[in-house]
Amino acid sequence: MATNLIAKIRTAHALGITSLGRYFFYKLGLFTGINPVKKLSASIPPGPFYDDRFNNYRNLTPSNRWLNHASYFGWKNIDTSQPPNWYLNPFLNKSSCSENSNWWDIKDFDAQTGDIKTIWEASRFDWVVAFAQNIASGNKQYLEKLNNWLTDWTKYNKPYKGVNWKCGQEASIRVMHLAFAALTLEQVENTKPSLIALIKAHLQRISPTVRYAIAQDNNHGTSEAAALFIGGSWLVLNNEPAGNKWVKQGRKWLENRARSLIENDGSFSQYSVTYHRLMLDTYSFAEVWRKKFKLNEFSETLNIQLQKASQWLYQLVEPDSGDAPNLGANDGARLLPLTNADYRDFRPSVQLSMAIFNGCSAYHGKGSWNLQLYWLGQKTPDKEPPKRNSIQFGNGGYSLLRQNNAFALLRIPSFHFRPSHSDVLHLDFWVASRNVLRDGGTFSYAAPPKDYNYFSGTASHNTFQFDNRNQMPRLSRFLFGNWIKPKTINPVEDNGIDTRCSASYKDCHGANHSRTVILNKNKLLVKDKVSGFDKSAKLRWRLEPVAWKIKGHTLFSETTSISIHADVEIKGFELIDGFESRYYYQKTSLPVLEVEIGESATITTEIVY
């Protein structure tokens, strides 16, 4: 009990007094009714929301998602011949009974209806984006469908009632998708009264609780700030003076979040590739909107931070497939899905942000990676991007090694923000587009304890687990305590023959782990030294799902061999079935090599590829 209390005190200090204060004042304001969000009212007149004035057709490939079926979280097909049931969890075929409930009375987790994000998915308005693109491509039959669906949504989602008004970030994503449609259909000015009312109702919802979003030090703050900035300026362009205060508020927090959440090496506070993309897309769209309507420029500091953040994602994305290490948390959110590229293809977002903030093209030639740029009215710059090389992002905690078409990514303990996964010294390894050693992902934020402990815990990462516990104690579903600090972090070195890096830590129970990674043109060498544990240390290598065979202490596939050597007895060496989640709410199996020892040791893993 005392140990847990100490961990909570340390973690509260690490989270920061300012963030905790914002959180508690928000909760107090809701409880007492002081926060004006509980006094809001709005009415949305009947549509149409968009009209047929658009005549400047675009010779670009539109998204085909949501035309006949939706792809929830990038993988689950749902029929869209009719407007969705806005309260349905289609994975469980259960509906929320919250249509007439105040949003603040609705629970985050409801065992009856399951994961709330499965309900929110249809109300992120990805279909607004797809329908607008198709209208702009000359398929005007989607104008009626767009207006009908928006009419249906407003009918069943009265302002501030029901589950779809619960989250300020979800409301913000809707605002930005509605803004994209207005931009694409040339209806930002002289906007229909019903659409103006819909935008105003959303900004009224977002504004009073934005400090709660800021307190979380994550993408909620960036999304809500962008929605206020974009939506507020949209209202101003339509002679709605109320928009001025929201423009100012949004600009303030966009600047603040760029300074506060983006590290000097470009890493983002959430330690997540998919959330990094969401943050980049948000800032990219805000900048496109700003330039389009000749609003005051953002600060030099913001632009410098976004330059670095764009280069961070550029370095981590595998250029042939567009995929990237499955690092950190992932809720399936994706802003402006303007292409038919797979959810895990990060190239459209990299191309957009590198062009906007770095003035260069990340990828050359024709490909879907250009479409997000083109749909937003931007050009592909001629300037060459920086070289992909071995690099250390020391602030965020990533060492990246490259040799020819292979790269290894070591997760080093450098936590300035709340870690969502217990993944210290996790190693990802790629050969071209093959993710040979891989991360487990997220699965679901509302998963049963067995699943969320697995996916965000140490067991779902390529590192050592001591005495069957997590590296950091779990304090709640989304919070680990006693954030690990490094004992040593050595820089990335390249001697012309191989590249290497190393780091080490000691956890709160006294267990030590030191890892050195060496990569050359056909071999990856990992040297682990472990000590200070009680009974068991277990090394896991989570493998690409292909056929593997065991011979002694070596694994073989058609392309790769993995050999294990230790200076003590190896108590366990087996290939077991594990799980990974590459897309939110999806769980698939993969082989996992488990190597167990019972005493301090040095273990060497040699991977020949």
Side-chain angles (χ1 to χ4, degrees):
M1 182 69 74
T3 302
N4 195 43
L5 178 61
I6 292 171
K8 289 181 178 180
I9 293 172
R10 287 175 177 168
T11 305
H13 182 264
L15 289 169
I17 295 174
T18 301
S19 292
L20 289 175
R22 287 171 177 151
Y23 172 81
F24 285 117
F25 275 116
Y26 162 75
K27 289 293 187 180
L28 180 64
L30 278 187
F31 178 76
T32 61
I34 295 174
N35 192 310
V37 76
K38 295 180 74 170
K39 302 180 178 70
L40 295 176
S41 63
S43 61
I44 301 167
F49 297 84
Y50 298 90
D51 60 34
D52 64 355
R53 76 182 80 162
F54 177 80
N55 290 305
N56 184 24
Y57 295 109
R58 309 289 294 276
N59 187 25
L60 296 171
T61 303
S63 171
N64 60 22
R65 294 187 177 92
W66 290 92
L67 302 190
N68 299 306
H69 66 269
S71 182
Y72 274 44
F73 307 124
W75 68 274
K76 177 71 170 178
N77 288 339
I78 306 292
D79 177 69
T80 57
S81 57
Q82 299 295 325
N85 176 341
W86 308 109
Y87 293 88
L88 178 69
N89 173 346
F91 295 83
L92 300 180
N93 199 30
K94 294 182 178 179
S95 294
S96 167
C97 300
S98 64
E99 184 177 337
N100 296 311
S101 301
N102 295 319
W103 67 260
W104 55 84
D105 292 326
I106 301 168
K107 296 179 180 178
D108 290 330
F109 301 101
D110 181 353
Q112 178 64 31
T113 55
D115 192 329
I116 196 171
K117 291 184 182 295
T118 64
I119 299 173
W120 285 346
E121 182 72 355
S123 290
R124 284 175 167 170
F125 283 13
D126 288 9
W127 47 270
V128 169
V129 171
F131 295 170
Q133 285 181 293
N134 278 273
I135 297 164
S137 299
N139 301 315
K140 281 200 170 183
Q141 68 268 29
Y142 287 103
L143 178 61
E144 182 180 4
K145 190 169 186 178
L146 173 58
N147 282 314
N148 286 345
W149 280 36
L150 283 171
T151 298
D152 195 74
W153 192 89
T154 56
K155 176 181 177 181
Y156 292 106
N157 292 274
K158 299 298 183 185
Y160 323 127
K161 299 287 187 180
V163 68
N164 291 313
W165 286 99
K166 181 169 177 56
C167 177
Q169 177 172 237
E170 297 298 316
S172 299
I173 291 173
R174 287 197 290 273
V175 168
M176 287 186 276
H177 285 168
L178 289 165
F180 168 81
L183 190 65
T184 302
L185 301 178
E186 300 175 353
Q187 297 177 36
V188 174
E189 297 175 275
N190 297 315
T191 306
K192 289 288 186 182
S194 51
L195 184 52
I196 288 293
L198 183 59
I199 295 300
K200 188 182 290 187
H202 276 75
L203 300 186
Q204 286 185 170
R205 162 64 186 90
I206 298 164
S207 179
T209 61
V210 71
R211 287 185 177 273
Y212 170 63
I214 300 303
Q216 297 177 64
D217 280 342
N218 61 18
N219 61 81
H220 284 245
T222 57
S223 298
E224 295 183 32
L228 289 167
F229 174 76
I230 292 167
S233 58
W234 187 359
L235 294 181
V236 172
L237 289 167
N238 284 272
N239 301 311
E240 291 278 350
N244 285 296
K245 63 180 179 182
W246 290 320
V247 175
K248 183 178 179 180
Q249 187 182 28
R251 181 185 288 273
K252 168 189 171 181
W253 289 117
L254 281 172
E255 294 279 1
N256 176 279
R257 296 295 82 186
R259 292 194 308 270
S260 302
L261 302 188
I262 300 173
E263 302 269 23
N264 286 333
D265 62 8
S267 305
F268 183 52
S269 64
Q270 286 186 275
Y271 310 122
S272 159
V273 175
T274 54
Y275 280 146
H276 195 108
R277 172 175 62 184
L278 181 63
M279 175 273 293
L280 274 183
D281 284 344
T282 301
Y283 275 101
S284 294
F285 187 46
E287 175 62 7
V288 166
W289 184 275
R290 184 203 67 75
K291 288 195 298 185
K292 173 70 176 178
F293 298 106
K294 298 180 174 58
L295 307 177
N296 291 337
E297 292 186 0
F298 292 119
S299 70
E300 183 180 5
T301 298
L302 181 148
N303 282 285
I304 290 172
Q305 292 299 89
L306 268 297
Q307 289 171 16
K308 296 173 185 176
S310 301
Q311 292 183 35
W312 184 95
L313 190 58
Y314 166 75
Q315 290 286 351
L316 263 69
V317 170
E318 195 285 310
D320 290 335
S321 66
D323 204 350
N326 196 15
L327 289 176
N330 169 20
D331 76 345
R334 187 178 183 183
L335 187 69
L336 299 176
L338 305 181
T339 79
N340 292 313
D342 186 82
Y343 173 81
R344 294 201 58 84
D345 186 346
F346 294 83
R347 289 173 297 184
S349 296
V350 172
Q351 185 79 323
L352 176 64
S353 64
M354 288 292 282
I356 289 176
F357 296 110
N358 290 274
C360 63
S361 291
Y363 314 103
H364 293 291
K366 295 180 180 179
S368 62
W369 51 80
N370 291 320
L371 283 174
Q372 197 161 352
L373 196 65
Y374 294 161
W375 273 108
L376 289 170
Q378 308 299 300
K379 296 180 179 179
T380 51
D382 294 328
K383 181 182 174 182
E384 291 292 319
K387 183 180 178 181
R388 287 185 182 81
N389 52 16
S390 298
I391 189 171
Q392 189 167 70
F393 298 105
N395 300 112
Y398 312 93
S399 292
L400 178 59
L401 309 181
R402 289 193 184 278
Q403 283 285 338
N404 296 329
N405 67 339
F407 75 88
L409 181 69
L410 179 66
R411 184 74 176 96
I412 53 182
S414 182
F415 298 125
H416 300 151
F417 299 93
R418 166 171 55 102
S420 60
H421 282 207
S422 186
D423 60 354
V424 178
L425 299 189
H426 164 82
L427 184 68
D428 239 67
F429 180 52
W430 294 66
V431 180
S433 57
R434 290 174 43 227
N435 190 187
V436 180
L437 302 179
R438 48 181 62 196
D439 201 325
T442 297
F443 181 48
S444 168
Y445 289 164
K450 180 181 178 181
D451 277 333
Y452 75 70
N453 278 324
Y454 175 79
F455 280 101
S456 62
T458 305
S460 193
H461 297 92
N462 296 320
T463 187
F464 263 94
Q465 183 177 28
F466 299 115
D467 299 315
N468 294 315
R469 56 176 169 76
N470 283 321
Q471 297 163 330
M472 299 174 281
R474 187 183 294 278
L475 302 183
S476 69
R477 184 179 287 262
F478 299 116
L479 185 62
F480 287 102
N482 288 334
W483 301 353
I484 287 178
K485 297 180 180 180
K487 286 176 62 178
T488 60
I489 298 177
N490 292 320
V492 171
E493 297 178 355
D494 189 338
N495 60 16
I497 299 173
D498 57 44
T499 55
R500 61 184 62 204
C501 64
S502 63
S504 65
Y505 74 88
K506 181 178 183 178
D507 72 14
C508 63
H509 295 277
N512 296 277
H513 182 193
S514 171
R515 172 165 279 183
T516 300
V517 182
I518 304 170
L519 178 64
N520 63 36
K521 64 180 180 179
N522 67 350
K523 184 189 297 182
L524 177 69
L525 200 65
V526 185
K527 295 182 178 180
D528 290 305
K529 293 182 179 181
V530 293
S531 63
F533 53 93
D534 290 334
K535 296 179 180 179
S536 168
K538 192 172 291 185
L539 170 65
R540 291 184 179 87
W541 294 123
R542 301 169 50 79
L543 307 169
E544 62 178 330
V546 297
W548 294 89
K549 295 181 181 179
I550 295 179
K551 185 177 181 180
H553 288 158
T554 301
L555 277 181
F556 298 92
S557 74
E558 286 188 358
T559 59
T560 310
S561 69
I562 302 176
S563 301
I564 307 293
H565 308 277
D567 61 0
V568 299
E569 177 189 2
I570 294 178
K571 295 174 60 178
F573 186 96
E574 61 178 331
L575 198 60
I576 67 166
D577 291 329
F579 296 99
E580 68 174 344
S581 177
R582 288 171 42 77
Y583 304 84
Y584 191 75
Y585 216 73
Q586 182 194 75
K587 179 167 60 173
T588 56
S589 62
L590 84 167
V592 180
L593 175 63
E594 287 192 347
V595 182
E596 185 175 5
I597 56 174
E599 56 187 309
S600 300
T602 298
I603 292 183
T604 302
T605 302
E606 183 180 81
I607 302 176
V608 179
Y609 59 93

